[in-house]
Amino acid sequence: MNFRDTMLDEYKEILKTYINDQTEQALYMSQKFSRKSIEYKISPEEMISLHKTSIMELEPELSESLLLSLDILLEVMMSYGLAYREHQSLRTIQRELINEIEVAASMQQTLLGTQIPRIPSMDIGAISVPAKQMSGDYYHFVSHENGAISVAIADIIGKGIPAALCMSMIKYSMDSMPEDSQAPGDVLERLNRVVEQNVDPTMFITMFSGLYNPETHIFSYSSAGHEPGFFYHADTGVFDEMQAKGLLLGVDKKTKYKEYEQKVEVGDIILLMSDGVTECRTEEGFLEVDTLIGYIKKYIHLDAQDIADKVYKELEYLQDFQLRDDFTLIILKRTS
Amino acid sequence: MNISIDVQEQEQQTTITLAGEIDAYTAPKLRETAFPYTEKKEANLVVDLSGVTYMDSTGLGVFVGLFKSLNANDGTMQLVGLSDRLKRLFDITGLADIMNINSGSEGGV
């Protein structure tokens, strides 16, 4: 039987119990009744009308003025009823919006997808995990006609949908860059002009841009305010920070970006990351660079993709599986 | 994950003293509070960060926004009391080269 059909009897029963004994039980029953009424979308004014009918049946001797007062209470509750119905319809709309954002997030994944290039001398791995639905981190690879590979890793500050739109803009500018301007400094200068013109002034982007030439084995790179990467020298076992200075994208359109070069020997590794890696907070404070390097050393013998996956697992564990920031790690390992 | 924002308006400058964490949760509050002071003509804004224990890139975004707004209105901004960790953030992003930053707690002009 429907709740609506039995509610009058149920309510009367609760009321009677309470008028007779004032037990806790009756109060508990009325709480349960209230939850059920909400579930069946009973409005506040309906409740008062129910109350009036019940009390008239239970206590026929009740004073006329008290009963009349309930009519006023009922009128007053009308607006509350309207507000309640509005709340219900907003909840429906909210559910629809959440669905749409989910669709947008998966579309973003498809649109921004980048293929990790396969070349003989370099083993490449990448992992990127968003803290929220839409990531502010972005990485992109471009394989050039001459065999060289461009890699870019970026963090768009200003998260959510504007950041996602901004990423698409970057991806298409990068893909449509002419073959003769692959130099990382040029890439950043060009993107900086695009971002400066088109993006909301409070939004900006940090980006690391690199170019690997498989003939000379030289990795050239420039940074626009991005977290420095690490370079692992296989012969000495030393990790160096890949220091590169340069202003964030989107702050000043006249910015020039200095280019740096690094010779990559067999076994050497280039590690690029987002600040979600280094600003990763643990129970005891911040992640120290030594800890990060420790994890990388632990897995250094593995394939590039496995190193990235394993380091992510370790950091995830360290943060109690609660990502606070987007996380992106790219590993380039020279194999021959 | 909390922030305290204290604003002192003087004739020559406005000092904003911050304490706590500046991240995605607290940055909007900071932006709302501080932004109006950057929109006046030739405003001098001093931001004391000595009580800030954490700042992520969203927080940095607020400072870029404030800096741009002040520049557009011929104002100035001075950041004082930065910890080593914060200083590093401004160094990496290249902002230390274009902004006026004093890492000690005493911010002389």
Side-chain angles (χ1 to χ4, degrees):
Chain A
M1 214 192 277
N2 193 308
F3 175 69
R4 275 183 179 275
D5 300 330
T6 58
M7 64 189 286
L8 180 63
D9 291 336
E10 249 180 77
Y11 189 73
K12 260 197 319 212
E13 194 52 42
I14 297 170
L15 209 55
K16 201 163 83 190
T17 317
Y18 190 69
I19 290 172
N20 292 340
D21 304 323
Q22 290 99 54
T23 56
E24 282 281 329
Q25 175 69 11
L27 291 176
Y28 170 70
M29 293 300 291
S30 54
Q31 280 173 19
K32 256 178 79 178
F33 186 85
S34 145
R35 280 197 292 273
K36 200 101 192 243
S37 312
I38 288 175
E39 196 183 311
Y40 282 88
K41 300 191 169 60
I42 312 294
S43 70
E45 61 269 28
E46 269 182 273
M47 277 311 304
I48 291 162
S49 154
L50 185 76
H51 180 80
K52 194 180 169 189
T53 316
S54 312
I55 199 82
M56 275 163 73
E57 286 178 27
L58 289 173
E59 305 280 327
E61 303 300 310
L62 214 60
S63 87
E64 183 69 7
S65 57
L66 184 66
L67 289 174
L68 284 172
S69 80
L70 290 177
D71 292 341
I72 294 299
L73 182 60
L74 190 142
E75 284 303 315
V76 170
M77 291 315 279
M78 291 280 225
S79 304
Y80 285 89
L82 283 176
Y84 173 68
R85 280 188 283 277
E86 197 174 324
H87 168 79
Q88 291 292 339
S89 78
L90 282 177
R91 271 181 61 168
T92 314
I93 294 172
Q94 191 192 32
R95 232 171 284 137
E96 285 167 12
L97 280 176
I98 290 173
N99 284 342
E100 289 203 15
I101 291 173
E102 271 164 18
V103 172
S106 68
M107 259 172 77
Q108 187 198 9
Q109 291 299 321
T110 319
L111 281 174
L112 296 180
T114 184
Q115 201 91 42
I116 296 178
R118 301 265 164 250
I119 54 166
S121 57
M122 191 67 101
D123 176 24
I124 305 174
I127 181 169
S128 187
V129 185
K132 281 197 248 159
Q133 274 178 334
M134 294 208 193
S135 176
D137 279 2
Y138 181 56
Y139 70 90
H140 191 54
F141 292 101
V142 182
S143 303
H144 299 289
E145 280 164 18
N146 61 3
I149 283 173
S150 282
V151 53
I153 177 167
D155 184 2
I156 288 111
I157 287 100
K159 308 269 173 197
I161 294 171
L165 293 175
C166 185
M167 258 180 258
S168 314
M169 202 172 82
I170 292 182
K171 180 196 156 87
Y172 291 107
S173 327
M174 270 188 76
D175 281 341
S176 57
M177 255 185 236
E179 279 288 317
D180 58 356
S181 75
Q182 309 161 356
D186 291 350
V187 171
L188 291 181
E189 274 165 40
R190 195 180 286 254
L191 281 176
N192 180 48
R193 286 196 295 270
V194 175
V195 173
E196 217 277 332
Q197 278 168 21
N198 292 300
V199 178
D200 149 23
T202 59
M203 194 151 126
F204 64 88
I205 298 165
T206 77
M207 185 166 182
F208 180 98
S209 167
L211 178 73
Y212 173 67
N213 182 330
E215 274 159 33
T216 58
H217 300 293
I218 288 196
F219 183 72
S220 50
Y221 59 97
S222 296
S223 170
H226 198 81
E227 188 70 25
F230 287 101
F231 192 90
Y232 171 74
H233 300 270
D235 56 345
T236 56
V238 172
F239 281 88
D240 276 337
E241 243 186 31
M242 294 170 76
Q243 289 289 359
K245 258 183 110 71
L247 186 62
L248 302 162
L249 299 181
V251 177
D252 178 3
K253 67 175 166 223
K254 293 190 291 287
T255 312
K256 295 270 171 234
Y257 293 93
K258 193 170 181 248
E259 223 164 85
Y260 303 79
E261 282 190 356
Q262 175 70 51
K263 180 86 200 280
V264 188
E265 306 291 350
V266 174
D268 286 355
I269 296 178
I270 298 161
L271 297 127
L272 308 176
M273 57 204 137
S274 64
D275 67 358
V277 181
T278 45
E279 289 293 297
C280 146
R281 270 191 284 191
T282 64
E283 287 280 305
E284 296 93 47
F286 294 92
L287 173 77
E288 293 301 327
V289 168
D290 292 344
T291 318
L292 177 65
I293 287 177
Y295 288 138
I296 294 164
K297 274 188 177 154
K298 187 168 157 192
Y299 299 114
I300 210 148
H301 55 282
L302 299 173
D303 287 347
Q305 189 60 51
D306 289 338
I307 300 176
D309 292 342
K310 295 269 200 250
V311 170
Y312 169 68
K313 284 269 174 283
E314 294 273 8
L315 294 181
E316 196 190 28
Y317 174 72
L318 213 62
Q319 289 190 93
D320 260 346
F321 304 96
Q322 288 286 317
L323 272 193
R324 207 170 148 140
D325 200 353
D326 304 327
F327 175 103
T328 302
L329 183 63
I330 297 179
I331 310 260
L332 297 104
K333 185 177 188 182
R334 187 176 160 199
T335 49
S336 61
Chain B
M1 279 177 265
N2 244 319
I3 189 171
S4 85
I5 306 172
D6 178 59
V7 182
Q8 277 196 307
E9 273 187 276
Q10 288 143 315
E11 244 174 72
Q12 301 293 322
Q13 65 180 44
T14 303
T15 307
I16 300 181
T17 309
L18 302 175
E21 304 187 347
I22 312 176
D23 58 17
Y25 302 96
T26 60
K29 188 177 169 197
L30 172 60
R31 184 182 301 125
E32 273 167 40
T33 314
F35 219 80
Y37 299 101
T38 66
E39 288 174 316
K40 295 176 194 155
K41 267 266 159 267
E42 295 174 24
N44 297 312
L45 195 65
V46 178
V47 186
D48 186 344
L49 297 164
S50 42
V52 174
T53 51
Y54 173 84
M55 178 155 91
D56 70 2
S57 41
T58 323
L60 213 55
V62 176
F63 288 99
V64 173
L66 297 178
F67 178 76
K68 279 186 157 184
S69 171
L70 282 161
N71 273 358
N73 296 303
D74 300 313
T76 66
M77 177 166 75
Q78 197 187 354
L79 304 179
V80 300
L82 285 77
S83 65
D84 288 348
R85 191 175 280 279
L86 285 190
K87 181 75 174 39
R88 178 175 177 271
L89 206 56
F90 281 90
D91 279 338
I92 287 175
T93 50
L95 291 173
D97 296 337
I98 58 167
M99 289 183 180
N100 184 354
I101 290 173
N102 293 327
S103 43
S105 57
E106 295 298 313
V109 180

